[in-house]
Amino acid sequence: MESRIIEIDRLEDWLRTPPGKYLLAWEQQQLDRIVADLFGFHALQLGFRELDGLRCNRMPHRWTALTTPGEGQAALVLDATALPFPAQSLDLVVLPHTLERSADPHACLREVERVLIPEGQVLITGLNPWSLWGWHQRRAQRSASDPSLWPVQAIAPHRLRDWLHLLGFEVQIQRFAGWTPNWSSERWVQRMAWLETLGARWCPIVGGVYLLLATKRVPGGHLLPGKA
């Protein structure tokens, strides 16, 4: 049937399906809007060549790096758990689907916290495991002939918020999208587009993809006068 659910065994193939294209378009739109209002001097996007998270940012020094050599062409290929930047040297780090593709997302976040200046910001996008999209992707990964083609371990947004809080970040923006079923037909995706409005209003936390913007907070201090 034309409206059948997609059965895909490669992440790259899924991104070319109607739901995958919708995901990329929504994320690019959100990234463009948010980074346009973030200021500083140094910004880094780490991973996921399918999105350009810094194209609308106006910081004078911007880099895009990949996390694995075979992921695509980029000026930099970095280890996400050992970034070659001094402590407190970056104003913005964009992680588009980077944590869920990392073997150690906790270590990656710790590195981001290390390299960000006080009040620096991290912008994260991820797949929501507690969604219809997440369920289909877990099913596809289990049934794939080679599970390494789906190197994604989705992180629930509430868990990511907890991790960020423990590292001293304050979440300022959280947005969701992707309530339309994972249909293989563009026409059926368009027919079910009303679910996006309904989901955003009544069930935002079960959207298929989420975006978080968090700011690194550093406790303030003041000098106490010494005794004369």
Side-chain angles (χ1 to χ4, degrees):
M1 294 178 60
E2 188 180 20
S3 59
R4 65 183 177 85
I5 295 294
I6 300 173
E7 299 293 346
I8 299 292
D9 63 355
R10 286 180 59 91
L11 179 60
E12 291 78 7
D13 294 338
W14 182 80
L15 289 173
R16 290 191 286 269
T17 65
K21 292 178 181 177
Y22 171 82
L23 177 150
L24 292 177
W26 181 85
E27 289 188 77
Q28 189 67 67
Q29 181 185 59
Q30 296 297 318
L31 291 171
D32 289 346
R33 290 178 177 177
I34 292 174
V35 302
D37 296 323
L38 302 181
F39 300 98
F41 296 95
H42 304 94
L44 171 70
Q45 174 178 325
L46 188 58
F48 207 67
R49 68 185 186 278
E50 288 82 0
L51 290 171
D52 186 354
L54 297 175
R55 69 181 186 182
C56 290
N57 185 259
R58 288 170 282 181
M59 295 187 192
H61 306 290
R62 304 186 300 273
W63 303 280
T64 297
L66 302 179
T67 55
T68 56
E71 193 177 355
Q73 294 184 354
L76 299 171
V77 178
L78 306 178
D79 182 351
T81 63
L83 298 177
F85 297 97
Q88 300 186 9
S89 61
L90 300 180
D91 300 274
L92 170 65
V93 176
V94 180
L95 302 175
H97 299 282
T98 306
L99 296 178
E100 61 202 24
R101 298 166 67 92
S102 171
D104 192 343
H106 298 85
C108 180
L109 271 183
R110 287 194 297 269
E111 270 297 276
V112 170
E113 189 278 335
R114 181 186 68 82
V115 300
L116 280 176
I117 66 170
E119 303 300 314
Q121 294 171 302
V122 58
L123 184 54
I124 303 169
T125 67
L127 299 174
N128 185 2
W130 306 116
S131 67
L132 190 61
W133 286 12
W135 179 82
H136 284 301
Q137 288 163 31
R138 291 196 303 273
R139 180 181 175 184
Q141 188 170 20
R142 288 194 299 267
S143 62
S145 57
D146 183 359
S148 65
L149 298 176
W150 273 88
V152 174
Q153 297 296 328
I155 302 169
H158 69 274
R159 178 175 296 179
L160 181 55
R161 289 175 66 99
D162 289 342
W163 294 354
L164 290 167
H165 178 72
L166 290 173
L167 289 171
F169 285 92
E170 178 184 347
V171 175
Q172 295 182 297
I173 294 176
Q174 178 173 273
R175 295 174 183 170
F176 292 87
W179 293 271
T180 304
N182 203 24
W183 300 123
S184 60
S185 167
E186 179 69 35
R187 187 175 68 177
W188 274 93
V189 171
Q190 294 176 357
R191 282 183 178 182
M192 303 297 288
W194 58 271
L195 287 174
E196 295 296 308
T197 302
L198 186 65
R201 181 173 182 180
W202 298 107
C203 303
I205 62 173
V206 295
V209 61
Y210 61 85
L211 175 146
L212 291 175
L213 176 68
T215 300
K216 176 182 174 180
R217 301 300 190 192
V218 177
H222 60 279
L223 295 175
L224 297 176
K227 294 184 179 179

